[in-house]
Amino acid sequence: MVTRDVMQQRVQIPLSAESLTEERTAYLERLVRQARTAAAVFTQFTQEDVDRLVKPMVLAGLDQAQHLARLAVEETKLGVMEDKVIKNMVATEFAYNYIKDKRTVGIIREFPERNLVEMAEPIGVIFSITPITNPTSTVLFKCIMAIKTRNAVIFSPHPNAWRCCSEAVKIMYETALKHGAPEGVFACLESHTLQDNAYLMHHKDVGLIDATGGPGAVKAAYSSGKPALGVGPGNTPVYLERTADLNTAVTDIILSKTFDNGTICASEQTAVIDDEIYDLVLKKFAALGAHICNEKEVKLLARTVIDPETGFMQAAAVGQKAIDIARLAGLSVNPGTKLLIAPIQGVGREHPLSVEKLFPVLSVYRAKSVDEALKVCVDVNHAGGLGHTAVIFSRNDDVIRQFGELMNAGRILVNSPGSVGAVGGVYNDLPPTFSFGCGTGGGNSTTDNVNIYHYLNIKRVARRTQAHMWFRVPNQIYFNMNAVANVHQFASRSTIIVTNPSLEQFGHVDLVRRYIPEGTHVHVSVIPDAEPEVKVVMQGVEALNFYKADQIIALGGGSVIDAAKIMKLKYESPEADLEELAAPFLDLRKRVIEYPTEKINRVRLIAISTTSGTGSEVTPFAVLTDKERARKVTLADYSLTPDVAIVDPQFVMSMPKGLTADTGVDCLTHALEAAVSSYASAYTDCNAMQAIRMAFKYLPIAYQHPRDEEARCMMHNAACIAAMAFSNASVGVNHALAHAFGARFGVAHGRANALMLPHVIAYNASVPTKFLPSPYQKGYVAHKKYATIADLLGLGGHTIDEKVKNLVAATEQLLDQLGFPRSIADLGISKEEFERAMPDLTKLAFDDPSWRSNPRMPLISELAELFWKAYQGRGLGNMADAVRQQTA
Amino acid sequence: MAMIAVWLKVEEERVVQALQEASEKLDGIEGEVTLDLSSVRRIDPSAVRAMAEFAGMAEDKSVKVVLRGVNVDVYKVLKLVKLASRFSFVS
Ligand SMILES: NC(=O)c1ccc[n+]([C@@H]2O[C@H](COP(=O)([O-])OP(=O)(O)OC[C@H]3O[C@@H](n4cnc5c(N)ncnc54)[C@H](O)[C@@H]3O)[C@@H](O)[C@H]2O)c1
Ligand SMILES: [Fe+2]
C-alpha cells in the first residue's frame, strides 16, 4: 500500500549508511544478530509448531483491532478509525483464513504426476518497511505471514506512524513469544533515520527487503542489491460501461473511495463513464452523498490537492475527509458530503486531477464510445498506475476481456470495489494482502498480492521421471515364403505399384499382380534404379492423383519403399513441406516441427521388400536424395510407417552377391547399433539380439549360396526384425560415419557401414569421453551389451574385455567372408584426398542425427579418429588400442 | 604437558546451564572439551548465545570444543548463525 510519498523524507533513502555513530551501528548489529538467531532457531520448527503460534497471534490482532486503529488515527491524523478496525480485522482474520490450511514447512505442494515436490526454505531475516496509510494492518499482516513461514522481521515503520506500529509489533511479538516463538523473532526500530534503513537494507544477514511505502523507499529497496518485494503506487481507472449494474457500481465506488478516506492505493482514481449513462451515474452519485464539482470548483480543488510543481497529490490531503478537503479548497458542500467528484476532460499534466489521489476525490470522464473509454483507461493506467489495479463495471464479456487485455495491472477487478476488492478474500478469491505487487510496470518484481509464498524460498525436488518409451511397428507384418499371397485380402479400386525397372524384369511385379483382387485398377509406376529424389516422388504423386489411387504397393529395396512413403505423404497432405519436415531434432518426442494430420486423400501403403537390409517396410524413416545440394535428407515420423509389410524371401532370391553383402551388413549394423543405443529397451533388445544371431549365422550362407531358401528367408526376416529394433531404438555413430563417407565418396550404404563397423564397436565399448544426457538409461552399459552379444554368439571369453574383443574379431571375420574391402585405402582413395575431405566428413557426420542415441557422444576429434581407423583398415592389431581402454 | 580432556553430557532442558558449568571448568582443561549433545533435539536462542559465548571463552584459553552427536537440525542452526566453524563435530 503506497502513498505518493506523504512524507518527503521517505522519498530519498540514502544508499550509504556512513554517517552512523558507532553506538548506533552496534544497536543495529544487535537487532540483526537477534533476528538471525531467531530465524536460525525457527528452522527447527515443524508445521504444527508454526500453526500453534499463528492462531493466538490472529486472535490477539482481532482483540486489539480497535485499540490499534485508534492509535493509528491519532498518530497519523489520516483515515477513518472504523475503517482501520476493519482493515486490522481483514489483516488478521482474512489472512488467517487464507493461510490456515496451507503448508509452509517441509513439503508444501506435491505434483505426483510430474514427480515434483515443492519444499519450503525460510528466508531468514526480513527487513520490512511499512507505510503511514495502513500502518497497523500492514504490521499485523506481515507478522502473521512471517511466523507462518518461520522468518524473523525487523520493522521500520513510517516515522509518523511509529508509535502505533511499534505497538502492533509488540502485541504480535509478545503473543508469539508466549506460545513458543523464538526470542528476537520481531523487532521494531526504536526511532530511526534514513541511515538506519540504508544500513539494514545493505546488511549481509538481511535476506529480503519487504518495502511497502513510498516510491523512494521502494526504489531504495530495489537499489540495495538485495532481493526485495517493493510494491509501487497506483492510479486505478474504473470503467463504467453502459451495460453495468449502475446501483452496484456507484455504491461500490463510493464505498471503496471513502474507505479509510481513500488511503488504499488500489482505490478508484478516475471513473471513465459511457456517454449514455453518464448523467444518470452522476445523479446516483449525488443521491448517495457525492458532491459534483462545477468547472470552477474543479480548478480550486486541483490547486489545493495537487502539487503544481511535482504534479503529485499534496501530502496534507492524504486520508482526509471529503468535507475537510472541500473546506481547504474553499468549496461549499453539504455537511454529509462523502466524496468530491471532479469532471475532467483528459489525462496528463494539463489535467492535474487525473493522477493518484489517496483521499475521497474522484475524477470522472465522459466517454463518447467504448473505444474512447478504453483509451482513456489506458491513459490513466499509464499515468502512474502501471501494474497496480484497474476496475470495470460491465455485463459485456467482450468488453471485460478487452479491458483485461489492455490494462497493465496485477489486479483487474470486475464488478467490485477497487480498494477492498484488491485486498483479496473479501469480494473475490485473490489472496488477502496489504502489499500489491505492480510488476515491472511499477518497477516491482511481482504482480501478485504479496502473501506467504513470497516469504519463502520454494525448493523443487525433481525426481527422475521415467521416460516414456514406445514400440511402434506396422499393424500387419506377413513373412516367410509366399507371404505375398496376403495382398489378396486388401480390397482396392485403384492400386499403384511403385517399383524399379530391374525388379519388373525379374518378374516380381507379375508375381504381385497375381494376388491383387480382381476388379482392381492397377497401374505400375517404374522409378529409376537410384535413391529417390524429390522430382521422382512428385511424378509418383501425379500418378496417384490421376488414378485416384487408394492403395500403393511399394515393391523394391529401401529406395523404392522410401519413395513410396513420401509419395503417400504428399498425396495425402499436399501442403507438407519436405524441407521443413526434415528439420533437425534432438528428441523425436520434443521436436519442433509436426507432421500433417489433415489428409485430403487416404491411401493404404503395402511395402514388399526385395532386399534384406534396410527393413524400410517397417520403419518410420524415409531417405531422400537432394541432388542439387549433394546431400541426403532423412524424414522420420511414425506416420510414414507402411500400413502393411510383406517379408517374402522369393523376392530376394534374385539379389546379386554384392547387394546381398551390402544390405546384409546394413541389417547387422542396424541391430548392433540398436542393441547399444541409449534408447534401447527390452522390447528393442529382443529384436536386436535375435537379428544379430540370425545375421551372423545366415548372412555368409546367403552370400555363398544365393539360392539357399532357408538362409535367404532367415536373412530377410533378420532385416525386418533388426528394423523393428532400430525403428524404436534408433541407430548410432556407425550410421553417422557411413552416411557422411558414403555421400562424399559415392560408396554404397552397406559397404560404408562395413568399413566402420569393427572400429565403432571398439569405440563404443570403451569408456566415453563424453556422456550424452539420456533419461532412457540408467548408466553406461554398451560394453556389457556387446559382451552379452558375444555370449549369444558363443564367442567365448571370460571378461567383458575379452568378449568385446572376440565380438570385434568375429565381425571382422564375417566382413572378410563377405568380401568387403578391409580399409578405405583399399578403395583406392589416396591419403591426401582423404585428408582433404576430413573437415567435411567430420562436419557431416557430426550433423547427422543418427549418433544422438549412440552410447558415447562423439567429439569431432573422435569422429576424425574413427575415419582414420577406417582408412587404415581393420585387423586385430588396429583394435588393440581402443579395446585396451575398455571398462572392466 | 599432559592433556586433560573433559567430556560433558548436555541435556536439552539445560543447555545454557550445562555450558555455564562447562565454562567454569575451562581453566582446568588443556587440549579439548567434548560436549555430548546427542540428547539435544532442538536449541533455542539462549542456547545459541550460550554456545557462542562458550566458543569465545574456549578460544581464549586455546581449548578445542568438540560437539558430539549433534543432530542435523541443530547443526543447520549452528551453520545459519555462523557458529559451526568454531566447533569440531564427532558423531
Ligand atoms: N527407410 C529406412 O528405414 C532406411 C534405412 C536404411 C537405409 N535406407 C535407405 O534405403 C536406401 C537403400 O536401400 P536398399 O539397400 O534396399 O537398396 P536400394 O533399394 O537402393 O536397391 C539397390 C539396388 O538393388 C536393386 N534391387 C532391389 N531388390 C533387388 C532384388 N531382389 N534383386 C535384384 N536387384 C534388386 C534395386 O533395383 C537397386 O538398383 C538408401 O536410400 C538408404 O538411405 C532407408
Ligand atoms: Fe542403414
Side-chain angles (χ1 to χ4, degrees), chain A residues 500 502-503 506 529 531 557-559 562 565 610-611 614 616 619 621 623 632 651 654-656 659 663 726:
Chain A
N500 282 156
S502 54
L503 295 164
F506 284 127
D529 265 351
E531 291 180 349
S559 299
D562 285 5
K565 286 174 180 174
T610 65
T611 58
T614 69
S616 183
T619 72
F621 310 112
V623 183
K632 281 179 164 195
F651 295 102
S654 57
M655 274 202 295
L659 189 61
T663 54
F726 90 86

PDB file of all heavy atoms in Angstrom, chain A residues 500 502-503 506 529 531 557-559 562 565 610-611 614 616 619 621 623 632 651 654-656 659 663 726, ligand 1:
ATOM      1  N   ASN A 500      11.201 -50.638 -59.341  1.00  0.00           N
ATOM      2  CA  ASN A 500      12.371 -50.306 -60.170  1.00  0.00           C
ATOM      3  C   ASN A 500      12.302 -51.103 -61.468  1.00  0.00           C
ATOM      4  O   ASN A 500      11.715 -52.197 -61.493  1.00  0.00           O
ATOM      5  CB  ASN A 500      13.666 -50.762 -59.478  1.00  0.00           C
ATOM      6  CG  ASN A 500      14.120 -49.848 -58.359  1.00  0.00           C
ATOM      7  OD1 ASN A 500      14.833 -50.292 -57.473  1.00  0.00           O
ATOM      8  ND2 ASN A 500      13.732 -48.595 -58.396  1.00  0.00           N
ATOM      9  N   SER A 502      14.584 -52.978 -62.878  1.00  0.00           N
ATOM     10  CA  SER A 502      15.167 -54.327 -62.806  1.00  0.00           C
ATOM     11  C   SER A 502      14.206 -55.313 -62.156  1.00  0.00           C
ATOM     12  O   SER A 502      14.130 -56.477 -62.548  1.00  0.00           O
ATOM     13  CB  SER A 502      16.491 -54.280 -62.047  1.00  0.00           C
ATOM     14  OG  SER A 502      16.281 -53.669 -60.794  1.00  0.00           O
ATOM     15  N   LEU A 503      13.445 -54.827 -61.200  1.00  0.00           N
ATOM     16  CA  LEU A 503      12.527 -55.719 -60.484  1.00  0.00           C
ATOM     17  C   LEU A 503      11.372 -56.140 -61.375  1.00  0.00           C
ATOM     18  O   LEU A 503      10.867 -57.263 -61.288  1.00  0.00           O
ATOM     19  CB  LEU A 503      12.034 -55.041 -59.214  1.00  0.00           C
ATOM     20  CG  LEU A 503      13.159 -54.799 -58.204  1.00  0.00           C
ATOM     21  CD1 LEU A 503      12.742 -53.800 -57.148  1.00  0.00           C
ATOM     22  CD2 LEU A 503      13.578 -56.117 -57.574  1.00  0.00           C
ATOM     23  N   PHE A 506      12.714 -58.908 -63.493  1.00  0.00           N
ATOM     24  CA  PHE A 506      12.795 -60.189 -62.769  1.00  0.00           C
ATOM     25  C   PHE A 506      11.452 -60.905 -62.668  1.00  0.00           C
ATOM     26  O   PHE A 506      11.380 -62.036 -62.237  1.00  0.00           O
ATOM     27  CB  PHE A 506      13.338 -59.978 -61.351  1.00  0.00           C
ATOM     28  CG  PHE A 506      14.815 -59.739 -61.284  1.00  0.00           C
ATOM     29  CD1 PHE A 506      15.324 -58.641 -60.626  1.00  0.00           C
ATOM     30  CD2 PHE A 506      15.712 -60.631 -61.891  1.00  0.00           C
ATOM     31  CE1 PHE A 506      16.684 -58.411 -60.561  1.00  0.00           C
ATOM     32  CE2 PHE A 506      17.081 -60.402 -61.826  1.00  0.00           C
ATOM     33  CZ  PHE A 506      17.576 -59.283 -61.163  1.00  0.00           C
ATOM     34  N   ASP A 529      16.428 -46.738 -60.971  1.00  0.00           N
ATOM     35  CA  ASP A 529      17.197 -47.578 -60.046  1.00  0.00           C
ATOM     36  C   ASP A 529      18.150 -46.730 -59.213  1.00  0.00           C
ATOM     37  O   ASP A 529      19.350 -46.894 -59.299  1.00  0.00           O
ATOM     38  CB  ASP A 529      18.075 -48.537 -60.884  1.00  0.00           C
ATOM     39  CG  ASP A 529      17.402 -49.864 -61.085  1.00  0.00           C
ATOM     40  OD1 ASP A 529      16.363 -50.103 -60.456  1.00  0.00           O
ATOM     41  OD2 ASP A 529      17.935 -50.673 -61.881  1.00  0.00           O
ATOM     42  N   GLU A 531      18.602 -43.930 -55.507  1.00  0.00           N
ATOM     43  CA  GLU A 531      17.957 -43.436 -54.300  1.00  0.00           C
ATOM     44  C   GLU A 531      16.987 -42.310 -54.669  1.00  0.00           C
ATOM     45  O   GLU A 531      17.272 -41.526 -55.574  1.00  0.00           O
ATOM     46  CB  GLU A 531      19.026 -42.979 -53.303  1.00  0.00           C
ATOM     47  CG  GLU A 531      19.789 -44.190 -52.793  1.00  0.00           C
ATOM     48  CD  GLU A 531      20.884 -43.872 -51.802  1.00  0.00           C
ATOM     49  OE1 GLU A 531      21.210 -42.692 -51.650  1.00  0.00           O
ATOM     50  OE2 GLU A 531      21.398 -44.823 -51.201  1.00  0.00           O
ATOM     51  N   GLY A 557      13.642 -52.292 -52.927  1.00  0.00           N
ATOM     52  CA  GLY A 557      14.514 -52.129 -51.764  1.00  0.00           C
ATOM     53  C   GLY A 557      14.136 -50.854 -51.021  1.00  0.00           C
ATOM     54  O   GLY A 557      13.062 -50.262 -51.251  1.00  0.00           O
ATOM     55  N   GLY A 558      15.046 -50.418 -50.182  1.00  0.00           N
ATOM     56  CA  GLY A 558      14.797 -49.221 -49.381  1.00  0.00           C
ATOM     57  C   GLY A 558      14.469 -48.022 -50.244  1.00  0.00           C
ATOM     58  O   GLY A 558      13.613 -47.201 -49.887  1.00  0.00           O
ATOM     59  N   SER A 559      15.117 -47.918 -51.405  1.00  0.00           N
ATOM     60  CA  SER A 559      14.903 -46.733 -52.248  1.00  0.00           C
ATOM     61  C   SER A 559      13.459 -46.638 -52.702  1.00  0.00           C
ATOM     62  O   SER A 559      12.841 -45.570 -52.632  1.00  0.00           O
ATOM     63  CB  SER A 559      15.818 -46.785 -53.465  1.00  0.00           C
ATOM     64  OG  SER A 559      17.155 -46.799 -53.043  1.00  0.00           O
ATOM     65  N   ASP A 562      11.033 -46.109 -49.653  1.00  0.00           N
ATOM     66  CA  ASP A 562      11.123 -44.737 -49.146  1.00  0.00           C
ATOM     67  C   ASP A 562      10.420 -43.764 -50.091  1.00  0.00           C
ATOM     68  O   ASP A 562       9.709 -42.848 -49.646  1.00  0.00           O
ATOM     69  CB  ASP A 562      12.586 -44.323 -48.974  1.00  0.00           C
ATOM     70  CG  ASP A 562      13.213 -44.977 -47.742  1.00  0.00           C
ATOM     71  OD1 ASP A 562      12.528 -45.809 -47.114  1.00  0.00           O
ATOM     72  OD2 ASP A 562      14.369 -44.651 -47.416  1.00  0.00           O
ATOM     73  N   LYS A 565       6.789 -44.000 -49.499  1.00  0.00           N
ATOM     74  CA  LYS A 565       6.364 -43.371 -48.238  1.00  0.00           C
ATOM     75  C   LYS A 565       6.152 -41.869 -48.447  1.00  0.00           C
ATOM     76  O   LYS A 565       5.186 -41.283 -47.937  1.00  0.00           O
ATOM     77  CB  LYS A 565       7.434 -43.563 -47.155  1.00  0.00           C
ATOM     78  CG  LYS A 565       7.526 -44.967 -46.579  1.00  0.00           C
ATOM     79  CD  LYS A 565       8.722 -45.043 -45.615  1.00  0.00           C
ATOM     80  CE  LYS A 565       8.856 -46.433 -45.009  1.00  0.00           C
ATOM     81  NZ  LYS A 565      10.072 -46.555 -44.200  1.00  0.00           N
ATOM     82  N   THR A 610      12.442 -56.098 -51.296  1.00  0.00           N
ATOM     83  CA  THR A 610      13.148 -57.007 -52.206  1.00  0.00           C
ATOM     84  C   THR A 610      14.633 -57.039 -51.903  1.00  0.00           C
ATOM     85  O   THR A 610      15.415 -57.587 -52.657  1.00  0.00           O
ATOM     86  CB  THR A 610      12.935 -56.585 -53.679  1.00  0.00           C
ATOM     87  OG1 THR A 610      13.554 -55.314 -53.861  1.00  0.00           O
ATOM     88  CG2 THR A 610      11.468 -56.518 -54.042  1.00  0.00           C
ATOM     89  N   THR A 611      15.026 -56.385 -50.807  1.00  0.00           N
ATOM     90  CA  THR A 611      16.406 -56.525 -50.317  1.00  0.00           C
ATOM     91  C   THR A 611      16.304 -56.874 -48.836  1.00  0.00           C
ATOM     92  O   THR A 611      15.277 -56.611 -48.202  1.00  0.00           O
ATOM     93  CB  THR A 611      17.203 -55.207 -50.460  1.00  0.00           C
ATOM     94  OG1 THR A 611      16.532 -54.167 -49.746  1.00  0.00           O
ATOM     95  CG2 THR A 611      17.366 -54.800 -51.910  1.00  0.00           C
ATOM     96  N   THR A 614      17.582 -52.749 -45.322  1.00  0.00           N
ATOM     97  CA  THR A 614      17.065 -51.522 -44.718  1.00  0.00           C
ATOM     98  C   THR A 614      15.900 -51.786 -43.781  1.00  0.00           C
ATOM     99  O   THR A 614      15.704 -51.066 -42.809  1.00  0.00           O
ATOM    100  CB  THR A 614      16.569 -50.532 -45.781  1.00  0.00           C
ATOM    101  OG1 THR A 614      15.395 -51.072 -46.386  1.00  0.00           O
ATOM    102  CG2 THR A 614      17.609 -50.260 -46.829  1.00  0.00           C
ATOM    103  N   SER A 616      13.037 -51.104 -44.497  1.00  0.00           N
ATOM    104  CA  SER A 616      12.196 -49.920 -44.697  1.00  0.00           C
ATOM    105  C   SER A 616      10.703 -50.260 -44.647  1.00  0.00           C
ATOM    106  O   SER A 616       9.879 -49.399 -44.346  1.00  0.00           O
ATOM    107  CB  SER A 616      12.560 -49.270 -46.031  1.00  0.00           C
ATOM    108  OG  SER A 616      11.831 -48.106 -46.230  1.00  0.00           O
ATOM    109  N   THR A 619       9.852 -49.401 -41.100  1.00  0.00           N
ATOM    110  CA  THR A 619      10.433 -48.244 -40.387  1.00  0.00           C
ATOM    111  C   THR A 619       9.650 -46.952 -40.619  1.00  0.00           C
ATOM    112  O   THR A 619       8.949 -46.813 -41.615  1.00  0.00           O
ATOM    113  CB  THR A 619      11.900 -47.981 -40.815  1.00  0.00           C
ATOM    114  OG1 THR A 619      11.897 -47.448 -42.144  1.00  0.00           O
ATOM    115  CG2 THR A 619      12.737 -49.227 -40.733  1.00  0.00           C
ATOM    116  N   PHE A 621      11.118 -44.197 -41.244  1.00  0.00           N
ATOM    117  CA  PHE A 621      12.077 -43.292 -41.894  1.00  0.00           C
ATOM    118  C   PHE A 621      11.951 -43.344 -43.405  1.00  0.00           C
ATOM    119  O   PHE A 621      11.567 -44.367 -43.971  1.00  0.00           O
ATOM    120  CB  PHE A 621      13.518 -43.683 -41.541  1.00  0.00           C
ATOM    121  CG  PHE A 621      13.739 -43.872 -40.067  1.00  0.00           C
ATOM    122  CD1 PHE A 621      14.003 -45.140 -39.541  1.00  0.00           C
ATOM    123  CD2 PHE A 621      13.664 -42.798 -39.202  1.00  0.00           C
ATOM    124  CE1 PHE A 621      14.205 -45.318 -38.176  1.00  0.00           C
ATOM    125  CE2 PHE A 621      13.859 -42.964 -37.835  1.00  0.00           C
ATOM    126  CZ  PHE A 621      14.131 -44.228 -37.318  1.00  0.00           C
ATOM    127  N   VAL A 623      14.481 -41.840 -46.689  1.00  0.00           N
ATOM    128  CA  VAL A 623      15.653 -41.045 -47.051  1.00  0.00           C
ATOM    129  C   VAL A 623      15.465 -40.517 -48.465  1.00  0.00           C
ATOM    130  O   VAL A 623      15.142 -41.269 -49.377  1.00  0.00           O
ATOM    131  CB  VAL A 623      16.941 -41.902 -46.961  1.00  0.00           C
ATOM    132  CG1 VAL A 623      18.162 -41.055 -47.255  1.00  0.00           C
ATOM    133  CG2 VAL A 623      17.047 -42.538 -45.584  1.00  0.00           C
ATOM    134  N   LYS A 632      21.730 -35.965 -48.475  1.00  0.00           N
ATOM    135  CA  LYS A 632      20.549 -36.807 -48.233  1.00  0.00           C
ATOM    136  C   LYS A 632      19.773 -36.203 -47.085  1.00  0.00           C
ATOM    137  O   LYS A 632      20.370 -35.717 -46.130  1.00  0.00           O
ATOM    138  CB  LYS A 632      20.999 -38.194 -47.799  1.00  0.00           C
ATOM    139  CG  LYS A 632      21.462 -39.103 -48.909  1.00  0.00           C
ATOM    140  CD  LYS A 632      21.880 -40.404 -48.251  1.00  0.00           C
ATOM    141  CE  LYS A 632      22.009 -41.536 -49.234  1.00  0.00           C
ATOM    142  NZ  LYS A 632      22.070 -42.826 -48.539  1.00  0.00           N
ATOM    143  N   PHE A 651      11.313 -62.753 -53.201  1.00  0.00           N
ATOM    144  CA  PHE A 651      11.727 -61.541 -53.908  1.00  0.00           C
ATOM    145  C   PHE A 651      13.219 -61.238 -53.767  1.00  0.00           C
ATOM    146  O   PHE A 651      13.737 -60.383 -54.457  1.00  0.00           O
ATOM    147  CB  PHE A 651      10.920 -60.331 -53.417  1.00  0.00           C
ATOM    148  CG  PHE A 651       9.451 -60.423 -53.741  1.00  0.00           C
ATOM    149  CD1 PHE A 651       8.529 -60.792 -52.779  1.00  0.00           C
ATOM    150  CD2 PHE A 651       9.013 -60.156 -55.037  1.00  0.00           C
ATOM    151  CE1 PHE A 651       7.189 -60.886 -53.077  1.00  0.00           C
ATOM    152  CE2 PHE A 651       7.662 -60.248 -55.346  1.00  0.00           C
ATOM    153  CZ  PHE A 651       6.736 -60.622 -54.371  1.00  0.00           C
ATOM    154  N   SER A 654      16.784 -63.147 -56.149  1.00  0.00           N
ATOM    155  CA  SER A 654      17.468 -62.603 -57.321  1.00  0.00           C
ATOM    156  C   SER A 654      18.592 -61.642 -56.969  1.00  0.00           C
ATOM    157  O   SER A 654      19.267 -61.129 -57.850  1.00  0.00           O
ATOM    158  CB  SER A 654      16.442 -61.878 -58.189  1.00  0.00           C
ATOM    159  OG  SER A 654      15.789 -60.867 -57.421  1.00  0.00           O
ATOM    160  N   MET A 655      18.775 -61.357 -55.675  1.00  0.00           N
ATOM    161  CA  MET A 655      19.802 -60.362 -55.318  1.00  0.00           C
ATOM    162  C   MET A 655      21.198 -60.860 -55.681  1.00  0.00           C
ATOM    163  O   MET A 655      21.579 -61.974 -55.310  1.00  0.00           O
ATOM    164  CB  MET A 655      19.774 -60.079 -53.809  1.00  0.00           C
ATOM    165  CG  MET A 655      18.779 -59.025 -53.386  1.00  0.00           C
ATOM    166  SD  MET A 655      19.261 -58.325 -51.801  1.00  0.00           S
ATOM    167  CE  MET A 655      19.084 -59.725 -50.726  1.00  0.00           C
ATOM    168  N   PRO A 656      21.963 -60.031 -56.394  1.00  0.00           N
ATOM    169  CA  PRO A 656      23.354 -60.413 -56.660  1.00  0.00           C
ATOM    170  C   PRO A 656      24.164 -60.429 -55.370  1.00  0.00           C
ATOM    171  O   PRO A 656      23.752 -59.846 -54.360  1.00  0.00           O
ATOM    172  CB  PRO A 656      23.840 -59.330 -57.615  1.00  0.00           C
ATOM    173  CG  PRO A 656      22.921 -58.171 -57.426  1.00  0.00           C
ATOM    174  CD  PRO A 656      21.606 -58.731 -56.965  1.00  0.00           C
ATOM    175  N   LEU A 659      25.003 -57.080 -53.586  1.00  0.00           N
ATOM    176  CA  LEU A 659      23.844 -56.470 -52.928  1.00  0.00           C
ATOM    177  C   LEU A 659      23.493 -57.245 -51.659  1.00  0.00           C
ATOM    178  O   LEU A 659      23.140 -56.663 -50.637  1.00  0.00           O
ATOM    179  CB  LEU A 659      22.659 -56.433 -53.903  1.00  0.00           C
ATOM    180  CG  LEU A 659      21.430 -55.642 -53.451  1.00  0.00           C
ATOM    181  CD1 LEU A 659      21.757 -54.176 -53.230  1.00  0.00           C
ATOM    182  CD2 LEU A 659      20.296 -55.778 -54.488  1.00  0.00           C
ATOM    183  N   THR A 663      23.517 -55.156 -48.241  1.00  0.00           N
ATOM    184  CA  THR A 663      22.279 -54.999 -47.479  1.00  0.00           C
ATOM    185  C   THR A 663      22.340 -55.820 -46.191  1.00  0.00           C
ATOM    186  O   THR A 663      21.850 -55.386 -45.153  1.00  0.00           O
ATOM    187  CB  THR A 663      21.055 -55.412 -48.321  1.00  0.00           C
ATOM    188  OG1 THR A 663      21.267 -56.737 -48.810  1.00  0.00           O
ATOM    189  CG2 THR A 663      20.838 -54.470 -49.486  1.00  0.00           C
ATOM    190  N   PHE A 726      15.576 -50.898 -34.630  1.00  0.00           N
ATOM    191  CA  PHE A 726      16.120 -49.532 -34.802  1.00  0.00           C
ATOM    192  C   PHE A 726      15.037 -48.505 -35.094  1.00  0.00           C
ATOM    193  O   PHE A 726      15.252 -47.298 -34.915  1.00  0.00           O
ATOM    194  CB  PHE A 726      17.281 -49.503 -35.803  1.00  0.00           C
ATOM    195  CG  PHE A 726      16.928 -49.265 -37.242  1.00  0.00           C
ATOM    196  CD1 PHE A 726      16.799 -47.967 -37.726  1.00  0.00           C
ATOM    197  CD2 PHE A 726      16.767 -50.307 -38.127  1.00  0.00           C
ATOM    198  CE1 PHE A 726      16.496 -47.729 -39.064  1.00  0.00           C
ATOM    199  CE2 PHE A 726      16.469 -50.081 -39.468  1.00  0.00           C
ATOM    200  CZ  PHE A 726      16.323 -48.795 -39.936  1.00  0.00           C
TER     201      PHE A 726
HETATM  202  N1  LIG C   1      13.767 -46.119 -44.542  1.00  0.00           N
HETATM  203  C1  LIG C   1      14.676 -46.691 -43.814  1.00  0.00           C
HETATM  204  O1  LIG C   1      14.403 -47.091 -42.692  1.00  0.00           O
HETATM  205  C2  LIG C   1      16.037 -46.836 -44.343  1.00  0.00           C
HETATM  206  C3  LIG C   1      17.028 -47.428 -43.556  1.00  0.00           C
HETATM  207  C4  LIG C   1      18.294 -47.577 -44.098  1.00  0.00           C
HETATM  208  C5  LIG C   1      18.534 -47.134 -45.378  1.00  0.00           C
HETATM  209  N2  LIG C   1      17.547 -46.520 -46.079  1.00  0.00           N
HETATM  210  C6  LIG C   1      17.709 -46.053 -47.421  1.00  0.00           C
HETATM  211  O2  LIG C   1      17.390 -47.115 -48.314  1.00  0.00           O
HETATM  212  C7  LIG C   1      18.169 -46.980 -49.465  1.00  0.00           C
HETATM  213  C8  LIG C   1      18.943 -48.247 -49.690  1.00  0.00           C
HETATM  214  O3  LIG C   1      18.024 -49.313 -49.801  1.00  0.00           O
HETATM  215  P1  LIG C   1      18.495 -50.750 -50.230  1.00  0.00           P
HETATM  216  O4  LIG C   1      19.736 -51.075 -49.569  1.00  0.00           O
HETATM  217  O5  LIG C   1      17.333 -51.665 -50.055  1.00  0.00           O
HETATM  218  O6  LIG C   1      18.820 -50.602 -51.759  1.00  0.00           O
HETATM  219  P2  LIG C   1      18.007 -49.984 -52.957  1.00  0.00           P
HETATM  220  O7  LIG C   1      16.572 -50.020 -52.723  1.00  0.00           O
HETATM  221  O8  LIG C   1      18.604 -48.674 -53.330  1.00  0.00           O
HETATM  222  O9  LIG C   1      18.317 -51.011 -54.046  1.00  0.00           O
HETATM  223  C9  LIG C   1      19.652 -51.122 -54.568  1.00  0.00           C
HETATM  224  C10 LIG C   1      19.591 -51.686 -55.982  1.00  0.00           C
HETATM  225  O10 LIG C   1      19.233 -53.044 -55.916  1.00  0.00           O
HETATM  226  C11 LIG C   1      18.148 -53.333 -56.780  1.00  0.00           C
HETATM  227  N3  LIG C   1      17.384 -54.406 -56.183  1.00  0.00           N
HETATM  228  C12 LIG C   1      16.499 -54.305 -55.182  1.00  0.00           C
HETATM  229  N4  LIG C   1      15.985 -55.518 -54.881  1.00  0.00           N
HETATM  230  C13 LIG C   1      16.564 -56.377 -55.727  1.00  0.00           C
HETATM  231  C14 LIG C   1      16.423 -57.776 -55.888  1.00  0.00           C
HETATM  232  N5  LIG C   1      15.603 -58.514 -55.146  1.00  0.00           N
HETATM  233  N6  LIG C   1      17.136 -58.368 -56.871  1.00  0.00           N
HETATM  234  C15 LIG C   1      17.966 -57.636 -57.623  1.00  0.00           C
HETATM  235  N7  LIG C   1      18.140 -56.312 -57.512  1.00  0.00           N
HETATM  236  C16 LIG C   1      17.442 -55.700 -56.566  1.00  0.00           C
HETATM  237  C17 LIG C   1      17.393 -52.049 -56.900  1.00  0.00           C
HETATM  238  O11 LIG C   1      16.640 -52.003 -58.042  1.00  0.00           O
HETATM  239  C18 LIG C   1      18.528 -51.050 -56.884  1.00  0.00           C
HETATM  240  O12 LIG C   1      19.048 -50.865 -58.124  1.00  0.00           O
HETATM  241  C19 LIG C   1      19.040 -45.794 -49.237  1.00  0.00           C
HETATM  242  O13 LIG C   1      18.403 -44.655 -49.775  1.00  0.00           O
HETATM  243  C20 LIG C   1      19.103 -45.689 -47.762  1.00  0.00           C
HETATM  244  O14 LIG C   1      19.415 -44.367 -47.361  1.00  0.00           O
HETATM  245  C21 LIG C   1      16.307 -46.384 -45.571  1.00  0.00           C
END
